[in-house]
Amino acid sequence: MVTFAGARISGNPFDYLYDDGLTAEQRAELSAEFGLDRPLPAQFAAYVGALATGNFGVSIAQRRPVLDLYAEALPSTLVLAVSAFALTLAVGLPLGVLAAVRRGRFWGGVAMGVAFLGYAMPHFVLAIILVLVFGLALSWLPSVGGDTPWHYVLPTVTLAAGLVASVVRFLRGEMLEVMGQDHVRTARATGLSGPRVLWGHVARNAALPVLTIVGLQLNGLINGSLIIETVFALPGIGQTFVGAVQVRDYPVLQFGVMAYALVVVVINLGVDALYAVADPRIRRGGATRMAEA
């Protein structure tokens, strides 16, 4: 309801799609074609009724089914999201462990420096820097479009930078907290080697909270794709959504908001489920509460 109302308050799509203007007859004809000539309550009722039947409407700008537009854009967004998430894990987890184990030393400082740099620099600033250096100055990588795998290198690095920083900082904090607990000191006192203590006691116990932050980073991938795909002109869902906002394409805009909201909800539910799988205490606690009830 909020999206429906907000989209219409923001402006009429015909004012953005036709720069030369429309005659009164043309505007009336287009409004009737897309049902925009009816009162807002009637438009909303028709919109909800169509959603109940799985009809998400037709794009006002492109005159094509909304689902077709997003289906064509989905592969590009999936490639970007999966690549950025893989890079986040491949870089963020080792740097987080390094920052904790080498705390107060050179390499620990380097790891935290990388984390703070990625955390402080906005996506669009990093994107512009990468385009200027690797796209224009050095001409090593393409910076516009998504025709080849090389087109995804700069967007992937840009999107993963902030996520890597969050994982490093959070993992370092959790590992330092676990390293100061009694069971870790006991394990060291019994003569266990450093690697066994690190991976068997510290990393294992720190992994549960980190699982939550890693899952939440998936939401960051979804939100970040809106900016990244626009900057690098990737033909993905983010660019489709932003384009709909720019021209007030109501059906495309409304479906985009619902799709992003659904993805966030599914990700959060998935993280909760994985957390229960990873920590048996949560399952036992839930079973105990059910038995008491």
Side-chain angles (χ1 to χ4, degrees), residues 31-279:
S31 298
E33 178 183 351
F34 292 101
L36 301 180
D37 58 337
R38 292 178 290 179
L40 286 180
Q43 292 184 39
F44 183 71
Y47 168 60
V48 174
L51 289 181
T53 62
N55 180 11
F56 298 100
V58 176
S59 168
I60 298 175
Q62 302 189 37
R63 298 174 180 268
R64 297 176 55 199
V66 171
L67 281 180
D68 290 350
L69 296 178
Y70 278 98
E72 292 178 359
L74 181 60
S76 180
T77 298
L78 286 179
V79 171
L80 175 61
V82 171
S83 301
F85 188 65
L87 183 61
T88 297
L89 297 181
V91 177
L93 295 181
L95 283 182
V97 174
L98 180 64
V101 175
R102 300 298 181 184
R103 179 185 56 172
R105 301 181 184 180
F106 175 76
W107 290 112
V110 170
M112 289 306 299
V114 172
F116 281 116
L117 182 62
Y119 190 78
M121 185 173 295
H123 282 147
F124 68 91
V125 174
L126 179 59
I128 293 174
I129 293 175
L130 293 178
V131 169
L132 291 176
V133 175
F134 296 100
L136 297 178
L138 300 176
S139 298
W140 286 357
L141 295 167
S143 56
V144 177
D147 298 331
T148 68
W150 296 108
H151 285 83
Y152 289 88
V153 174
L154 295 182
T156 297
V157 173
T158 304
L159 185 56
L163 307 180
V164 168
S166 297
V167 171
V168 170
R169 294 176 66 237
F170 196 84
L171 179 57
R172 175 182 182 272
E174 289 297 324
M175 289 192 65
L176 290 178
E177 181 178 352
V178 174
M179 288 168 67
Q181 294 178 357
D182 293 338
H183 72 278
V184 175
R185 289 194 291 267
T186 302
R188 287 173 176 166
T190 58
L192 290 179
S193 63
R196 290 190 62 184
V197 173
L198 176 63
W199 300 111
H201 295 270
V202 178
R204 183 176 181 180
N205 286 276
L208 294 178
V210 173
L211 177 63
T212 301
I213 194 65
V214 169
L216 295 177
Q217 296 310 308
L218 293 174
N219 294 334
L221 290 175
I222 300 299
N223 296 328
S225 67
L226 294 175
I227 300 174
I228 302 305
E229 290 182 7
T230 302
V231 173
F232 291 98
L234 286 175
I237 290 178
Q239 189 177 22
T240 301
F241 181 77
V242 172
V245 173
Q246 292 173 341
V247 299
R248 310 303 192 270
D249 195 340
Y250 298 156
V252 179
L253 172 59
Q254 290 163 174
F255 179 80
V257 172
M258 288 191 300
Y260 274 96
L262 178 62
V263 169
V264 170
V265 170
V266 171
I267 288 174
N268 289 338
L269 290 176
V271 170
D272 290 342
L274 288 176
Y275 203 88
V277 171
D279 191 349

Side-chain angles (χ1 to χ4, degrees), residues 5-25:
R8 282 152 180 78
I9 293 173
S10 66
N12 190 296
F14 305 134
D15 295 334
Y16 297 89
L17 291 173
Y18 302 97
D19 297 334
D20 297 335
L22 295 171
T23 65
E25 293 77 9

